[in-house]
Structures are given as structure tokens and as C-alpha cells.
Amino acid sequence: MGYDNSFRINLGSYERTDEILISDAFMQEEVPQGTPIDHSQDVLTNARRMAGAHESHVSQSGLFHVLDWAGVTPTCVYVYPHSVNMDKFTNRMSEHNIKHINRVVRPLNR
């Protein structure tokens, strides 16, 4: 079926901040200085915050994929044991700073 390799999600405008953001609270063990995003906010609001942050640390989650499809490269992508098939959802793997974490933070979905 194919896909459009040049497709990008347009996040719209966002401001640059000095924030160090993490996509999930469980990531504070890896990034203790990080502030978790507010999951009561919508995905676009959080994606804009992450895109404008001084540092953005994400796990393999929907937010990672939104940023990736928008052409935003987070500071670091943390891959936990519950994450599977990450390479099936991005063609930019070589552009990401990926750290594999061997710590169970969610049940394995296998």
C-alpha cells in the first residue's frame, strides 16, 4: 500500500522554554530533573510543550510517534521492556538517541 515518506504533522506554533519534560512520571528514575507532562491536557498541547522544551524525554508512546511524525527529534527516547516493534512505526530510528532500559514499569503486552 505504501505511504508518503514526506508527510509531517503540523503542530502549529509553540514557544521555546527552558523546561526539561518527560512523557511519563515513571521516567523520573532515568531523568530525575524532568517534569512529567500533564496527561489531563490534550495530545496537541503536550506535543507542542515537548517540541518547545529545552529537553524532551519520551518513552515509546503515542506522544513519541506524534513528535516523530511532526519531524521533532526528542532529546532521548527510552525503550522499556513493554515497548515492542518501535521500528515498525518510524523510519527515523537512526535519528533518535535511544536508550534501552531494563526496568519493568508496565505489564508486558506480548
Side-chain angles (χ1 to χ4, degrees):
M1 291 176 44
Y3 61 94
D4 181 352
N5 200 26
S6 63
F7 173 79
R8 292 285 181 261
I9 292 175
N10 182 349
L11 297 180
S13 62
Y14 52 87
E15 67 180 77
R16 299 283 180 185
T17 68
D18 290 332
E19 294 179 295
I20 299 173
L21 298 177
I22 55 177
S23 63
D24 292 285
F26 64 78
M27 297 174 62
Q28 284 198 291
E29 189 168 319
E30 284 72 46
V31 190
Q33 72 279 23
T35 300
I37 58 170
D38 181 355
H39 287 278
S40 71
Q41 296 292 315
D42 61 82
V43 173
L44 182 57
T45 297
N46 281 325
R48 285 176 175 158
R49 270 188 78 198
M50 292 293 264
H54 175 67
E55 290 184 25
S56 57
H57 300 265
V58 297
S59 63
Q60 181 187 349
S61 63
L63 187 55
F64 161 72
H65 298 296
V66 169
L67 293 172
D68 184 56
W69 295 332
V72 175
T73 304
T75 304
C76 190
V77 179
Y78 299 82
V79 178
Y80 294 88
H82 69 268
S83 302
V84 295
N85 301 324
M86 186 171 167
D87 59 314
K88 305 285 189 254
F89 299 98
T90 181
N91 61 355
R92 298 184 338 121
M93 286 295 288
S94 63
E95 297 175 37
H96 295 292
N97 176 19
I98 297 176
K99 292 186 181 177
H100 292 271
I101 306 297
N102 192 18
R103 179 170 66 87
V104 175
V105 295
R106 291 186 185 155
L108 299 176
N109 294 327
R110 296 186 194 229

